[in-house]
C-alpha cells in the first residue's frame, strides 16, 4: 500500500494505519491515547489529520491506510482540529504544572505549547475529581489531571492481564478508578505510570523528590530475574532517584516489572553496610579495609594450613555479576578448593558433568512471540518471571497455546490452554505423561520406563499442542530446577522436545543464571548442597543470605555456625548471618560497579557503575582481585572489569557461545514417589527473591509481600483439625515456625505450601522436603 | 449474597448468550440484584462479577454507566420524572415541581420516612404520554396531571 | 392507545385494542405469511435482499440508510456466526413509535428479523429494548415465547432446515446505546461506548462477528415489503422515500401520539391529524426528526412534506420521525438548555470533543438562560460546536451541536434578548400556560 503523508511517500503493509505509516516516515503526529503496544481506542482525538477527499478530519491512529491515500498532518484543517481538541483537553485540566510531578516530561504540557491557546475561553469552574488510594507504588492523588486516554485501563486488560483500573461513570464525570478503593496489585503496575501521558498516575516513592530535568539518565540492566530488563537509571547528586524501562524490543520491549522499578529504594537503604566489619572479642566491629582484608587472608591461610584447600567453600548469588562470579571461582580454585557454586536454591545436581553446554532458554526471547505452543514446567510463572510471562500472555491473546504443568494452580492471568498442578514429587510423572501422550500421538516408540504410564486428558491436550504446533517450546521454570528430581525433569523435557520438534530450555532464576555457567562458578568438588552437607571449615559467601537464599537454610546455617571462618561479601548489614559471620565486606550493588549479566537467552549485557560506591563499599570484583593478590595467587592483576570479562566472552559478542541444553547419559528412573507425610511446596515471593528487592520499603508494602501463610487444601486442613486462618505450627526437622493457615484448594493433596526466602519461614528446611503441620 | 430465585433468573439471562459470553448478562444480573437488594451495594456488584467471571471493576463500570442502577440506597419507591424537552412542552417539568412541593424534597432526595426518592430522568420513549414518570424502573405512569399524581402518591403511601 | 391515526396504513392496519399483539391475531392479519412463503418457496437470499432494495426502505432509526444496501454488505460466505440485531433502544427525545410497534405488533418485528436473518444467513439475533419500558420488554419476551412455541424461531423453522435463535436484551438507561456500536458493546456486557468505524459491524460486529443492526420499525416493515413486493411498497411513499412511516408527534398539539402516513404527506396534514395546535396557539417552530435534528421555524415547516428529501431541503433531518411541535409560548433558550443538558448528560465520556464540549455547551446555554450570558457567548457556542462536529467517534457529537447551531441561527434575537436583558422574551407564566399541566384533562 502506498500512502503519501505531507508529500513523503511510504510503502506499508495492508492493515496499517496512518499512524503506522507516519512513524515509518518519521513524521510526528500528536497523540495521547495511541500507544504502539496497546489496542487502539481513538478516544483522545489529538491525532486528527486531513485525508484527501474525506470531508472530516480523521484520527491517524485508527484510520486504515488505503492505496494512494494522501494525508496532510499540518494543513489548516488538521491544525484547526488538533487545536480544537487541545482546547477541550485543557478546559478542565488543572493549572498546576509548576507543582506537577510530570512537569518536564508531560506530553500534554509539551503539546500544549504547540497547540494550546494563549488564553482560556473557558470561564466556568473546573472539574473536581477526588483522589484515590491504590497502594504503595502508584499515586492517584491528582486525578483531575487525567485526560481519559484509558491507556492505564487498556494496559491492565491487555498487558498485565488483570483489569484493576476502569473508567467509571460517563460523560464529563468519567473517572479512572479501582473497584471501591482497592489497591493495584499487578506485578507490572508501575508501567502505568510511564504510560500516563499526564501527571495523573505518578510514582509514589519518587513523588516530589526531584524534577525530571535535574536528573541524569544512565543505561543499566536489571539485576533481578533472568530476563535482564534494560533500565534507565536516573540520578541526582550521586543518588539513584528513579528507575525506568529502557526500550529494547528483543528483551523487555518497553516494560519493566515493579521489582525492576522500585527495588532501587534499597540502594539508599539505611541498612547499607558502609564499612568492613570483623569479629573482635565475639562481636562484629567496623574496621578499616586493610585490617579486614588482613583478617580474611590470614584466616583463609590458617584454615588451608591446618585443613587443606578443600576445607574452603565459596557460594555466590546468581544475582552476582559475571566478573564477580568468575573471579570468585578463580580465587577458590587458586586456594586449592573445587567447592564453588552459584546455585544455592538447587537441590539436585545430578546433571552436573552430563551437560553438553551452558543451559539456557533454548530460544531467543523475541522468538517466543510466534510460538504455536509452549509448555511451562514447574514455575510460579508470573511471580517468578513477570515479563517472560507477559510475552506468553501476548501469545495466548493471538494464536499460541500455552500450557502449565506445575505445583500450584495460581492464576497466571492468561488464557492457558491446559494447566495441571501436582505435588513436586509427582512432577516428573506428570511430565512423563505428556511425553507418553506425545509418543502415542506420533505413533512413536514409547520411551523406556513409560510403558505403564496412563496419560490423563490434560496431558493429552498438552501433548497435542506440541505435536500439532509447528513451533513449540518447553520451558523449565524455577521449581523444575529446584526440584529434588531436577535432572529427571530435564531429561524428560529433552525427550519430549526431541519427539515434538520443540525447543527445550530453562527460564533461569536470576540475572546471571546463565552467566554463572559462563563464569565457570561451578563445583569440581562439592556443590552448593554438599558444601553444607559435608561441613567445611571456611566459607566465602558472595551476596548470599543463607537463611533466605538456600534450598535448605537449616542445613546451611548449621554448617556455617560450626565453621571457623565465615566471610560475607554483602551490600547490607542487617543480616541474620551477623550472628555467625566473622567478616563482612561491603560490596556495591549493580549501580555502583561495572559488570555483566548474561540473560536467559545468553545475551551479554554489560553495564557501568553509575554512582560512587556507598560509604566504603567496593565493587566485589575489585575486592576479590585484591584478595587474590594478598593471597599471593597469580593471575589477579586485572585493571578493569572489561579485562575480566574478556577472559570469558570475546568483546563485542552479543551472545555467549556454547549454549546447549543437551544431556549426556542421563535417563529417568520413574521411581514412584514415596507416600506418607506432607511435602512442602515453596515459592519464592516475588519481592523476597533477592537482597535488593527485600529491602525496598515500597515493595515490602505490596500485597505480594504479605507474610507467608501455610496453605493447604481443605482436606488437609480438616485432617489437622484447624479452621481457615487459625495459627498452625509448621515443622521441618529441628525448625519450627508459627504461621496462619490458609485454605487453598489449588494446593495438591498431601502438600503444604509455605514460601521460602522469607524471615518468617527461614527456620525451616528444604524447599520441597517433608514437612509437618499441626494446630498451634 | 443473592436469593436462589434471583440466581435462577440470572441463569435464565446467561442462557440467552453464547456459552463463552457470560458477561453479556451483566446488565440483567445487576438489575436483578438491585431489585432484590433495593439498590446496588458494592458486594452485590462484586458477587455478580464473580458469578459471571468478569473483573469487579468491569461490572462497576457498567453499574455506574447506566443510570437506572442505584449505587446509593433509595426510598421504597423511586419516582423518576421525565423533564426532557418533548415532555417539558407538555408539563414534565411542572409535574416535577409539583411532586417536589408535594413531597417536600428536591430531585435526588428521599422523603424523611424513606418512602419516596425523586429523580429527574431523560427521555423514556413515551413523549406522547407526557407528563410521564416511572416508579421503581418498572411501572410507567402516563398523562400525569396533578390529579393523577395525587392518586399515585396516595397509592404509594 | 397511542396510535391515533393513519393514512393508508400498513404497519398499524388492523391494530385495534390491546389484545391484537398475540400471535393468533397477527396471523389473522396476514402475519408470518411472508416468512412462510420465503421458506416454502425457498426464495434465494439474494432475491429477498433485492426486494428490500427495490422498496427503497430507508432505515427508520435516524440515519435513513437504505436497508437493502446495508444487508448486502454482510459477508455471504463467512464461516462462523452472524448476527442480526434490532435497535429498540428508542431514546431520542420525541421518539416513541418503536414502543408502540412492540406493544401492539411485536410479531411484525420478529417476522422481519427472521426474514432478515434468513436473507443474511444469521443464526442468532437480539432485540435491544430501551430500559425504561419494562412492560414492553416483558411483552416482547412473551411474543418470543409464542413464536418459539409455534416453531417460528429455534431449530428447523417451519421444517425448512433454517435455524434462528432470537432473544431480547433489556437496556438500563443510556441514550447512547441507541448508537449501533454502543448497543453492541452493551450486549457484550460493557459500558455502551461507541466503537470507531471502520471496521463496520457488517465485518466486525457483535462478539467480533458480522452483524446487521436495524431499527424496530425497519424490521417491522419487512413483512409488508415481502407481501406487497418492493415496488408497491416504494410506491406507497414517494420516489427515493419508500413506504409509509410512523411519526411520533409531541409537544404543543392537541393529540400527541403516533401517526402512520405515507412518506411525502404534507406536514400540515400531519399537524391536523394530531388535532392541531394546543389551545389554538400559533406554531413557532418544529423539530421534525427527533431532538438531534435542527429546528425549523414555523413558516418553513408548513411548506414541508414529511419525507427525507423535503425535510433535508429545509435544512433539517427526518431522523427517527419524531416531530416536536413548539408554539409561541416556548422559550427557545430554555428549550435548548434542556436539550444541551441531555446531550451532556448522555455523552458516553469516551472522546474528548464530546465529553468536554457537550458540557461546555450546556454551561454556556445554562448561563444565558439564567441571566448570566455574555455578549460573545453566541459566537463561542458557534465555535465550540464546530470544534465538536465531525471530530468525535460517533454522531452524538454532531447530534449535540446541531440543535445549538440551528436554535441560534433561527432564533438569534431571542438569545440576544436573554443576554442583554437577563430575562426571557416569553414571560414565565406564559411558558407555563403552554404546558397545560394545570389545565389539561385526559
Ligand atoms: C447518538 C445516537 C443515538 C441513536 N439512537 C437510536 C435509537 O434510539 N434507535 C435507533 O433505531 N437508532 C438510533 N441511532 C441510529 C443507529 O446508530 C443506527 O443507525 C440505526 O439503528 C440503524 O438502523 P436503521 O438503518 O434501520 O435505521 C442512534 C444513533 C446515534 C448516533
Ligand atoms: S461522540 Fe460522545 S457519545 Fe459518541 S463516542 Fe464520543 S464521547 Fe461517546
Ligand atoms: S491518538 Fe488517535 S484519537 Fe487518540
Amino acid at each position: 500500500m502506498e500512502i503519501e503523508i505531507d508529500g513523503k511517500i511510504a510503502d506499508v503493509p495492508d492493515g496499517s494505519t496512518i499512524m503506522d505509516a507516519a512513524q515509518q516516515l518519521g513524521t510526528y503526529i500528536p497523540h495521547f491515547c495511541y500507544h504502539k503496544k496497546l489496542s487502539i481506542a481513538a478516544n483522545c482525538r489529538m491525532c486528527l489529520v486531513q485525508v484527501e477527499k474525506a470531508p472530516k478530519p480523521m484520527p491517524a491512529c485508527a484510520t486504515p491506510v488505503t492505496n494512494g491515500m494522501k494525508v496532510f498532518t499540518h494543513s489548516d484543517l488538521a491544525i484547526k482540529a488538533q487545536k480544537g481538541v487541545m482546547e477541550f483537553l485543557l478546559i478542565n485540566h488543572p493549572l498546576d504544572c509548576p507543582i506537577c510531578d510530570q512537569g518536564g516530561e508531560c506530553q500534554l504540557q509539551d503539546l500544549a505549547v504547540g497547540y494550546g491557546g494563549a488564553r482560556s475561553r473557558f470561564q466556568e469552574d473546573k472539574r473536581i475529581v477526588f483522589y484515590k488510594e491504590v497502594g504503595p507504588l502508584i499515586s492517584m492523588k491528582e486525578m483531575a489531571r487525567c485526560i481519559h486516554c484509558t491507556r492505564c485501563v487498556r494496559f491492565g486488560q491487555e498487558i498485565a492481564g488483570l483489569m484493576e483500573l476502569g473508567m467509571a461513570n460517563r460523560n464529563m464525570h468519567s473517572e479512572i478508578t479501582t473497584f471501591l478503593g482497592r489497591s493495584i496489585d499487578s506485578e507490572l503496575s508501575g508501567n502505568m505510570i510511564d504510560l500516563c501521558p499526564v501527571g495523573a498516575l505518578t510514582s509514589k516513592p519518587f513523588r516530589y523528590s526531584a524534577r525530571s530535568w535535574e536528573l541524569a539518565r544512565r543505561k543499566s540492566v536489571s539485576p533481578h530475574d533472568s530476563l535482564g530488563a534494560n533500565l534507565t537509571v536516573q540520578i541526582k547528586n550521586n543518588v539513584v532517584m528513579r528507575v525506568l524501562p529502557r526500550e529494547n524490543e528483543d528483551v523487555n520491549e518497553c516494560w519493566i516489572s515493579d521489582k525492576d522499578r522500585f527495588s532501587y529504594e534499597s540502594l539508599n537503604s539505611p541498612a547499607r553496610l558502609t564499612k568492613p566489619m570483623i569479629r573482635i572479642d565475639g562481636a562484629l566491629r567496623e574496621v578499616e579495609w586493610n585490617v579486614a582484608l588482613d583478617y580474611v587472608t590470614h584466616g583463609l591461610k590458617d584454615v588451608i594450613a591446618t585443613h587443606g584447600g578443600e576445607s574452603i567453600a565459596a557460594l555466590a548469588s546468581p544475582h552476582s555479576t559475571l566478573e564477580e562470579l568468575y573471579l570468585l571461582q578463580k580465587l577458590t580454585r587458586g586456594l586449592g578448593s573445587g567447592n564453588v557454586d552459584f546455585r544455592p536454591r538447587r537441590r539436585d545436581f545430578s546433571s552436573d558433568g552430563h551437560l553438553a553446554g551452558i543451559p539456557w532458554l533454548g530460544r531467543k526471547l523475541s522468538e517466543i512471540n510466534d510460538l504455536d505452543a509452549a509448555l511451562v514446567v514447574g514455575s510460579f510463572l508470573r511471580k517468578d518471571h513477570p515479563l517472560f510471562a507477559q510475552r506468553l500472555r501476548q501469545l495466548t491473546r493471538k494464536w499460541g497455546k500455552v500450557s502449565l504443568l506445575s505445583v500450584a494452580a495460581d492464576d497466571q492471568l492468561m488464557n492457558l490452554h491446559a494447566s495441571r498442578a501436582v505435588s513436586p514429587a509427582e512432577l516428573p510423572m506428570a511430565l512423563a505423561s505428556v511425553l507418553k501422550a506425545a509418543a502415542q500421538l506420533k505413533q512413536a516408540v514409547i520411551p523406556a520406563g513409560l510403558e505403564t504410564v496412563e496419560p490423563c486428558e490434560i496431558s493429552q491436550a498438552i501433548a497435542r499442542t506440541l505435536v500439532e504446533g509447528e513451533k513449540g517450546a518447553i520451558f523449565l521454570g524455577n521449581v523444575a530446577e529446584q526440584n529434588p528430581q531436577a535432572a529427571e525433569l530435564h531429561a524428560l523435557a529433552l525427550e519430549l522436545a526431541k519427539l515434538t520438534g520443540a525447543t527445550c530450555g530453562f527460564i533461569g532464576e536470576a540475572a546471571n543464571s546463565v552467566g554463572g555457567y559462563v563464569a565457570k562458578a561451578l563445583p569440581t568438588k562439592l556443590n552448593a548442597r554438599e558444601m553444607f552437607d559435608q561441613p567445611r571449615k571456611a566459607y566465602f559467601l558472595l551476596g548470599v543470605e543463607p537463611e533466605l537464599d538456600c534450598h535448605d537454610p537449616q542445613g546451611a546455617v548449621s554448617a556455617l555456625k560450626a565453621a571457623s571462618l565465615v566471610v560475607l561479601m554483602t551490600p547490607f548489614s542487617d543480616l541474620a548471618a551477623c550472628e555467625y559471620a566473622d567478616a563482612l565486606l561491603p560490596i556495591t550493588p549493580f549501580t555502583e560497579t561495572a559488570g555483566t549479566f548474561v540473560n536467559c537467552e545468553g545475551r551479554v549485557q554489560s553495564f557501568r557503575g553509575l554512582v560512587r560506591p556507598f560509604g566504603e563499599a567496593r565493587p566485589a570484583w575489585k575486592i576479590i582481585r585484591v584478595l587474590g593478590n594478598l593471597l599471593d595467587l597469580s593471575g589477579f592483576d586485572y585493571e578493569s572489569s572489561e579485562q575480566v570479562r574478556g577472559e570469558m566472552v570475546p568483546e563485542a559478542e552479543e551472545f555467549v557461545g556454547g549454549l546447549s541444553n543437551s544431556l549426556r547419559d542421563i535417563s529417568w528412573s520413574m521411581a514412584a514417589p514415596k507416600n506418607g507425610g506432607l511435602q512442602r511446596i515453596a515459592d519464592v515471593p516475588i519481592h523476597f527473591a533477592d537482597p535488593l528487592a527485600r529491602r525496598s520499603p515500597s515493595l515490602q508494602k505490596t500485597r505480594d509481600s504479605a507474610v507467608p501463610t501455610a496453605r493447604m487444601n481443605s482436606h488437609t486442613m480438616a485432617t489437622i483439625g484447624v479452621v481457615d486462618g487459625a495459627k498452625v505450627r509448621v515443622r521441618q526437622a529441628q525448625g519450627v515456625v508459627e504461621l496462619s493457615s490458609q485454605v487453598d484448594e489449588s494446593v495438591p493433596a498431601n502438600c503444604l505450601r509455605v514460601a521460602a526466602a522469607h524471615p518468617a519461614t527461614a527456620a525451616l528446611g528444604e524447599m520441597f522436603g517433608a514437612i509437618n503441620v499441626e494446630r498451634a | 449474597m443473592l436469593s436462589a430465585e434471583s440466581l435462577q433468573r440470572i441463569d435464565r439471562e446467561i442462557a440467552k448468550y453464547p456459552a463463552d459470553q457470560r458477561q453479556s448478562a451483566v446488565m440483567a444480573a445487576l438489575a436483578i440484584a438491585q431489585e432484590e437488594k433495593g439498590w446496588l451495594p458494592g458486594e452485590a456488584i462484586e458477587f455478580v462479577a464473580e458469578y459471571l467471571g468478569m473483573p469487579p471493576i468491569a461490572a462497576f463500570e457498567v453499574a455506574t454507566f447506566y443510570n437506572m442502577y442505584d449505587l446509593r440506597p433509595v426510598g421504597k419507591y423511586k419516582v423518576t420524572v421525565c423533564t426532557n424537552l418533548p415532555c417539558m412542552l407538555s408539563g414534565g417539568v411542572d409535574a416535577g415541581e409539583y411532586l417536589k412541593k408535594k413531597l417536600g424534597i428536591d430531585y435526588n432526595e428521599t422523603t424523611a420516612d424513606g418512602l419516596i426518592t425523586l429523580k429527574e430522568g431523560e427521555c423514556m420513549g413515551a413523549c406522547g404520554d407526557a407528563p410521564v414518570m416511572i416508579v421503581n424502573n418498572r411501572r410507567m405512569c402516563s398523562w400525569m396531571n396533578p390529579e393523577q399524581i395525587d392518586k399515585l402518591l396516595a397509592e404509594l403511601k | 392507545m397511542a396510535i391515533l391515526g393513519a393514512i393508508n396504513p400498513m404497519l398499524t392496519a388492523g391494530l385495534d385494542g390491546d389484545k391484537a399483539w398475540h400471535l393468533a391475531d397477527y396471523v389473522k392479519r396476514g402475519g408470518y405469511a411472508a416468512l412462510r412463503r420465503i421458506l416454502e418457496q425457498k426464495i434465494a437470499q439474494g432475491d429477498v435482499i433485492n426486494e428490500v432494495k427495490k422498496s427503497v426502505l430507508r432505515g427508520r432509526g435516524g440515519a435513513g440508510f437504505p436497508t437493502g444496501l446495508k444487508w448486502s454488505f454482510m459477508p455471504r460466505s463467512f464461516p462462523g456466526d452472524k448476527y442480526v440485531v434490532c435497535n429498540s433502544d428508542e431514546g431520542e427525545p420525541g421518539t416513541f413509535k418503536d414502543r408502540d410497534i412492540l406493544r401492539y405488533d411485536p410479531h411484525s418485528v420478529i417476522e422481519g428479523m427472521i426474514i432478515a436473518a434468513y436473507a443474511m444467513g444469521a443464526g442468532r439475533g437480539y432485540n435491544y429494548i430501551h430500559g425504561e419500558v419494562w412492560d414492553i420488554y416483558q411483552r416482547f419476551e412473551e411474543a418470543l415465547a409464542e413464536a418459539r412455541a409455534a416453531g417460528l424461531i429455534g431449530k428447523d423453522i417451519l421444517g425448512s432446515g433454517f435455524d434462528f435463535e432470537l432473544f431480547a436484551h433489556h437496556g438500563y438507561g443510556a441514550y447512547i446505546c441507541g448508537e449501533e456500536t454502543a448497543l453492541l458493546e452493551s450486549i457484550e456486557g460493557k459500558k455502551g461506548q461507541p466503537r470507531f468505524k471502520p471496521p463496520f459491524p457488517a465485518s466486525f460486529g457483535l462478539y467480533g462477528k458480522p452483524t446487521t443492526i436495524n431499527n424496530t420499525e425497519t424490521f417491522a416493515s419487512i413483512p409488508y415489503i415481502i407481501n406487497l413486493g418492493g415496488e408497491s411498497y416504494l410506491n406507497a411513499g414517494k420516489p427515493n422515500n419508500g413506504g409509509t412511516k410512523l411519526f411520533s408527534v409531541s409537544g404543543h398539539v392537541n393529540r400527541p401520539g403516533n401517526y402512520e402516513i405515507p412518506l411525502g404527506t404534507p406536514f400540515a396534514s400531519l399537524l391536523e391529524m394530531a388535532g392541531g395546535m394546543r389551545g389554538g396557539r400559533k406554531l413557532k417552530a418544529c423539530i421534525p426528526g427527533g431532538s438531534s435534528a435542527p429546528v425549523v421555524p414555523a413558516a418553513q415547516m408548513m411548506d414541508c412534506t414529511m419525507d427525507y428529501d423535503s425535510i433535508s431541503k429545509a435544512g433539517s433531518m427526518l431522523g427517527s420521525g419524531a416531530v416536536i411541535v413548539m408554539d409561541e409560548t416556548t422559550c427557545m433558550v430554555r428549550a435548548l438548555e434542556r436539550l444541551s443538558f441531555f446531550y451532556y448528560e448522555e455523552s458516553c465520556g469516551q472522546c474528548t470533543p464530546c465529553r468536554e464540549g457537550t458540557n461546555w455547551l450546556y454551561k454556556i446555554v445554562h448561563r444565558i438562560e439564567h441571566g448570566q450570558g455574555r455578549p460573545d457567548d453566541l459566537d463561542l457556542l458557534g465555535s465550540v460546536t464546530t470544534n465538536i462536529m465531525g471530530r468525535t467517534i460517533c454522531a452524538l457529537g454532531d447530534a449535540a451541536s446541531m440543535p445549538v447551531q440551528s436554535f441560534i441561527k433561527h432564533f438569534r434575537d431571542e438569545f440576544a434578548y436573554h443576554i442583554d436583558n437577563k430575562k426571557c422574551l416569553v414571560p414565565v407564566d406564559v411558558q407555563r400556560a403552554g404546558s397545560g399541566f394545570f389545565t389539561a384533562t385526559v
Side-chain angles (χ1 to χ4, degrees), chain A residues 418-588:
Chain A
S419 161
R420 188 170 173 216
V422 297
S423 76
E426 286 165 329
L427 202 51
M429 183 54 87
L431 184 53
S433 289
V434 179
L435 173 55
K436 168 106 177 237
Q440 286 171 336
L441 278 170
K442 297 226 61 151
Q443 297 178 321
V445 186
I446 305 300
L450 307 187
E451 294 78 9
T452 58
V453 175
E454 284 286 346
C456 64
E457 243 170 71
I458 301 177
S459 308
Q460 288 172 351
I462 297 173
R464 201 166 306 120
T465 64
L466 290 169
V467 168
E468 286 171 2
E470 201 169 303
K471 293 183 191 153
I474 302 160
F475 298 114
L476 294 158
N478 296 357
V479 178
E481 284 200 74
Q482 294 155 0
N483 192 285
Q485 297 154 90
E488 204 157 84
L489 284 165
H490 184 175
L492 285 162
L494 275 177
E495 190 65 23
L496 180 60
K498 202 166 89 188
L499 194 66
T500 59
T503 57
C504 166
F506 294 89
I507 313 176
E509 183 186 326
N512 247 339
S513 286
V514 171
Y517 285 89
V518 178
K520 300 196 168 54
L522 295 161
T524 34
K525 269 282 170 54
L526 304 182
N527 58 43
R529 171 179 160 79
E530 292 164 334
M531 64 176 69
F532 297 121
D533 282 357
Q534 303 165 40
R536 303 290 98 190
K537 287 290 163 210
Y539 288 95
F540 210 94
L541 301 177
L542 173 60
V544 178
E545 295 183 67
E547 293 75 11
L548 307 177
D549 294 333
C550 286
H551 187 89
D552 174 10
Q554 256 174 30
V557 170
S558 76
L560 288 163
K561 283 185 174 161
S564 53
L565 179 68
V566 175
V567 180
L568 244 70
M569 300 181 77
T570 165
F572 299 105
S573 59
D574 56 344
L575 305 170
C578 286
E579 194 193 328
Y580 50 81
D582 300 294
L584 302 185
L585 305 181
I587 60 172
T588 54

Side-chain angles (χ1 to χ4, degrees), chain A residues 64 80 87 139 268 274 332 365 429 655 662 682 696 738:
Chain A
K80 241 196 227 140
E87 179 177 39
S139 163
N268 314 319
T274 52
T332 314
L365 281 166
M429 183 54 87
F655 291 91
S662 297
S696 157
E738 211 171 88

Side-chain angles (χ1 to χ4, degrees), chain A residues 44 92 121 124 167 171 173, chain C residues 191 345 347 356 367 383:
Chain A
C44 78
N92 274 303
R121 302 195 291 170
E124 272 64 31
M167 195 159 88
N171 59 49
H173 298 295
Chain C
K191 290 180 289 183
E345 168 69 23
S347 162
E356 304 295 337
R367 192 167 71 203
S383 158

Side-chain angles (χ1 to χ4, degrees), chain C residues 149-304:
Chain C
L152 292 161
I153 46 183
K155 287 239 170 293
D156 190 20
I157 294 173
L158 299 175
S160 64
F162 171 58
D163 304 336
F164 177 62
E165 284 295 345
L166 180 57
F167 303 96
H169 183 105
H170 189 202
Y172 227 61
Y175 164 66
I176 191 58
C177 289
E179 197 282 336
E180 54 188 18
T181 55
L183 183 150
L184 297 179
E185 290 279 302
S186 186
I187 297 182
E188 291 182 6
K190 303 176 194 154
K191 290 180 289 183
Q193 293 192 326
R195 301 174 182 168
F196 179 78
K197 296 184 270 190
F200 290 91
S203 55
F204 189 92
L206 185 60
Y207 308 126
K209 308 287 189 219
T211 302
T212 289
I213 301 135
N214 278 118
N215 171 255
T216 318
E217 187 184 352
T218 311
F219 279 122
S221 306
I222 297 297
Y224 299 95
I225 291 171
I226 300 298
N227 283 331
L228 293 172
E231 236 164 64
S232 318
Y233 182 87
L234 170 61
N235 293 336
K238 69 182 232 193
N240 197 32
N241 297 270
T244 60
K245 171 152 188 24
L246 271 170
F247 286 91
S248 305
V249 184
S250 64
H252 293 144
V253 293
N254 278 318
R255 293 190 335 138
N258 284 313
Y259 298 88
E260 183 182 2
I261 52 176
L263 286 173
T265 305
F267 169 72
S269 312
L270 180 62
L271 190 56
E272 199 180 315
M273 284 174 87
M277 298 301 295
R278 188 184 296 150
R281 281 187 292 268
K282 247 177 67 197
L283 178 70
K284 179 171 186 177
C286 175
I287 303 177
S291 66
S292 309
V295 66
V296 180
Q300 263 168 285
M301 196 62 218
M302 292 309 290
D303 288 344
C304 284

Side-chain angles (χ1 to χ4, degrees), chain C residues 41-99:
Chain C
Q41 302 178 4
K42 300 195 175 11
I43 297 179
Q45 295 177 321
D47 292 346
V48 176
I49 296 181
N50 271 337
E51 215 51 49
V52 178
K53 275 190 181 161
K54 267 192 257 164
S55 75
V56 197
L57 169 65
R58 294 173 60 168
R60 304 302 197 216
F65 193 84
T67 304
L69 189 59
K70 189 191 267 189
W71 289 13
S72 67
F73 293 153
M74 282 285 267
R76 279 291 174 88
S77 51
F78 183 81
D81 301 332
K82 285 190 262 183
Y83 293 94
V84 290
V85 172
C86 176
N87 187 345
S88 301
D89 189 42
E90 193 170 51
E92 172 88 358
T95 321
F96 48 90
K97 63 191 176 67
D98 297 341
R99 173 179 178 233

